[in-house]
Structure formats: C-alpha cells, structure tokens
Amino acid sequence: MKKLVFITRNILPDGLNLLRSHGFEVKINLLDRPLNEEELSFEAQNAFALITMLSDRIDAPFLERNSHLKVISNYAVGFNNIDVAKAHELKIIIGNTPEVLTEATAEFALGLMISVARNFSSSHQAASMGLWRDWNPTAFLGHSLKGKTLGIVGLGRIGLRLAQMCAHAFDMNIIYCGPRQKINSLGAQYVSLPTLLGQSDFISLHVPLNEETRHLIGREELVLMKKNCILINTARGEIIDQEALIEALERKQIYGAGLDVTTPEPLNPDDKLFQLDNVLVIPHIGSASLQARAAMSILSAQNIIAAFEGGELPGRVNPKADN
Ligand code: NAP
Ligand code: GLV
Ligand code: GLV
C-alpha cells in the first residue's frame, strides 16, 4: 500500500509532484480554511506524514493521539506551533523550510521599513478618500533610510540578509543583539538589547518565538526607543507586547510600526492597530513570493522523502533520536 502524506492546506504543486513521483499517495485539504483539531486528527490517523501550516496547532495531545506519524514537515521555518519536545519524545521527526524563504522575508521586511518610513499606507488611504487636493510641500514627511542605524534583533538567516541589503543599498549602520556574537563581513556591531533599542532608527525583529522571546519588546523596551524609531516585525506577533505597542504608537513615542505578524492571527478588523495611521498591518505574507512558496513546497516534500529513506532531512528541527 502507498504511504499517505496528508497536507493541511493546498500548497503550490511542485512538492506534491515530487512526493507522487516517489510513490507516496498525497491527500490535500481542499477546503479553503484550516482544519480544526478533530478534522486534522481524522485525516492524520492513516497518514505516514503530514505537511502542516504555521496555523495548525500540533500540541502534545495531538501528537500523543498520532504517535504513529513518522514525520511532520512544517511549511514554514518557524515551528512554535509544534510541541517539538513531545514529538521528540515520541520519535516523530519534525521538519521545516529554512533558507528558501530567507530572501523573500528579508525583502519584505525592507519593504515594510520603506513603507512605514515614507507613509505609503496613510498617504494612499488619504488619496483614496478624496484628500489629495494639491501637491503639498509638507504633507507626509517621512524618514530616509540612507546612513541610518538599523538594529537587528536576532542576526540569523533572515536578520543577516536584511542587514546585508540595508548596508549595501542604503549605507546603513548595522547593530545587532542575540545570544552570541556573530562573525559577519558587514562590520555589524554586537550590542546589548537596551543599547540597540536606544541607538536604532529602525529595529527589525528576527528571533524565533519561544518562552525567552515572548514579549521581548514590552513597555520598558519601547520607552528606550528613539522618537523617530520604526519597529518592524516579520517574526511572530507574540514577540511584542501588542497592548504596550499600541499605547506607544498612540502617544507617538515612536514614529511607526510595520507588522507582518500580530496577536492574534487573523487580527480582528476592529482592532486598534488598524485605526492608527503610523502602523502598517500585513496579514502574515512575508514568505509569499511565488519563488519562495514553490521552494518551500519542494523542501517540505524532500523532508518527508528523506525521513522515509532514513537520510538527513534538508530542514530538520529536532535532533536525531538516539535509537
Ligand atoms: P534563524 O536563522 O534561526 O535566526 C534566528 C536568530 O535569532 C538566531 O540568530 C538566534 O541566535 C537569534 N535569537 C534566538 N533567541 C534570541 C533572543 N532571545 N534575542 C535575540 N536573538 C535571539 O531563523 P530565521 O530563518 O532567520 O527565521 C527567524 C524567524 O522569522 C522564524 O523563527 C519565524 O518565526 C519568522 N519568519 C516569519 C516569516 C513571515 O512570513 N513573516 C517568514 C519566515 C520566518 P543563535 O543563532 O545564536 O541561537
Ligand atoms: C513564516 O512565518 C515562517 O515561519 O516560515
Ligand atoms: C517631484 O515630483 C519633483 O519633481 O521634485
């Protein structure tokens, strides 16, 4: 009998074809919505492997009920939706899609920096509401990027790529913080988080979400930021204390924020964040280029094929089990 791979949303076909050519049967959730826990458990019961989305909650009870699964390949680089320790205990391999979305996400963060700094959203909205009456020499005055200081919180794959883009294209001065100093050719300076918060004109968050990074940016951190500071988050919503951010934005304590991720997701259209004119809220599409999503489709399939063949996964989250 063919091994079944269940895919929780309809992803680009590249990886599905690869799975089929390796003899797997592929079943896809064709409903245009995420499955609830019960539906997902039903589909998982006969599966060898799953390809999951970051919106699927793969918690301990789910894993315990589905301990027959050989591998779960997350269609994302972040894996905070999965209880990795429990999966490891149950010898379920967890895969993810690093590298292939780095370029797309870094480009996106750069796009947010420019959009917020130059008031794309508020000026578009004003024009569309009939408020474009003349060429106003002092309307929508923003900030340029050239020569400014960019603070990267988490100089990993995406953080480093954004730093390179900003150093090369805009001669930006790069500072960063994180658990350890990194060797880099940009002359990026390793600083503490409080120093980074106090010196940066732009701050971009690139840490994974875990117990240490939840609310890493709260009231105390926002107070340290410069008045002209622009905060960019393409990592995970929970890294920011969103209530504290809203207060800081309302008080114009910082210049603005560009958020590809929020708490919760999806964000309610009535949320205060949508009413602030110095915030750009985007519905978590940082990796959504055709190129990145096609490569993620292939990589998430390759993870499953490698697990089946007993080889190294190209994107592996948990270390190999001892036995
Ligand atoms: P990565 O290469 O693992 O980089 C994460 C970096 O964060 C590492 O350099 C790590 O340092 C550092 N770090 C960990 N804890 C920290 C802390 N407490 N303070 C400061 N730095 C810390 O991951 P990536 O591929 O760049 O992805 C980063 C995150 O972006 C993902 O986890 C995901 O949540 C998010 N993401 C979002 C989108 C989107 O669509 N918006 C797309 C892709 C990724 P060490 O290496 O020294 O441990
Ligand atoms: C997207 O948010 C990812 O983690 O890949
Ligand atoms: C603006 O459009 C200019 O020509 O300066």
Side-chain angles (χ1 to χ4, degrees), residues 155-214:
L155 195 73
R157 289 171 292 244
I158 299 169
L160 178 63
R161 189 66 192 111
L162 176 65
Q164 288 167 343
M165 290 175 183
C166 290
H168 294 145
F170 302 102
D171 295 326
M172 292 183 82
N173 167 43
I174 313 294
I175 58 179
Y176 70 99
C177 67
R180 62 200 117 243
Q181 197 165 352
K182 307 266 173 174
I183 295 164
N184 68 84
S185 57
L186 299 171
Q189 202 191 336
Y190 183 55
V191 297
S192 68
L193 178 62
T195 302
L196 180 143
L197 299 172
Q199 290 187 357
S200 300
D201 303 302
F202 292 82
I203 296 173
S204 193
L205 307 179
H206 298 286
V207 295
L209 174 63
N210 54 43
E211 283 321 307
E212 273 166 36
T213 60
R214 191 178 304 275

Side-chain angles (χ1 to χ4, degrees), residues 52-243:
T52 50
M53 306 302 120
L54 55 89
S55 46
D56 295 316
R57 199 157 154 240
I58 307 298
D59 55 12
F62 176 87
L63 291 165
E64 266 160 6
R65 268 199 309 280
N66 294 285
S67 59
H68 62 278
L69 290 167
K70 173 80 177 170
V71 51
I72 298 176
S73 187
N74 213 33
Y75 191 72
V77 69
F79 47 82
N80 54 287
N81 58 310
I82 301 177
D83 187 335
V84 175
K86 177 54 79 177
H88 196 59
E89 188 187 309
L90 296 168
K91 298 194 169 53
I92 301 172
I93 300 169
I94 305 298
N96 68 344
T97 60
E99 314 277 0
V100 294
L101 42 54
T102 296
E103 197 69 23
T105 312
E107 283 174 1
F108 202 85
L110 175 58
L112 284 175
M113 286 169 63
I114 299 177
S115 302
V116 176
R118 298 299 303 277
N119 296 299
F120 280 16
S121 175
S122 52
S123 60
H124 169 86
Q125 214 176 339
S128 72
M129 285 171 15
L131 297 172
W132 183 3
R133 299 204 184 93
D134 49 29
W135 188 84
N136 184 336
T138 56
F140 300 111
L141 293 180
H143 294 281
S144 62
L145 275 65
K146 172 96 182 172
K148 299 283 167 58
T149 295
L150 168 64
I152 302 271
V153 180
L155 195 73
R157 289 171 292 244
I158 299 169
L160 178 63
R161 189 66 192 111
L162 176 65
Q164 288 167 343
M165 290 175 183
C166 290
H168 294 145
F170 302 102
D171 295 326
M172 292 183 82
N173 167 43
I174 313 294
I175 58 179
Y176 70 99
C177 67
R180 62 200 117 243
Q181 197 165 352
K182 307 266 173 174
I183 295 164
N184 68 84
S185 57
L186 299 171
Q189 202 191 336
Y190 183 55
V191 297
S192 68
L193 178 62
T195 302
L196 180 143
L197 299 172
Q199 290 187 357
S200 300
D201 303 302
F202 292 82
I203 296 173
S204 193
L205 307 179
H206 298 286
V207 295
L209 174 63
N210 54 43
E211 283 321 307
E212 273 166 36
T213 60
R214 191 178 304 275
H215 287 198
L216 186 67
I217 304 299
R219 224 162 247 116
E220 283 175 32
E221 288 72 27
L222 287 156
V223 165
L224 297 179
M225 294 180 193
K226 288 159 81 166
K227 207 171 151 46
N228 65 294
C229 184
I230 290 169
L231 177 62
I232 304 299
N233 191 5
T234 59
R236 285 291 180 268
E238 291 89 336
I239 292 162
I240 298 179
D241 175 347
Q242 204 163 279
E243 284 308 309

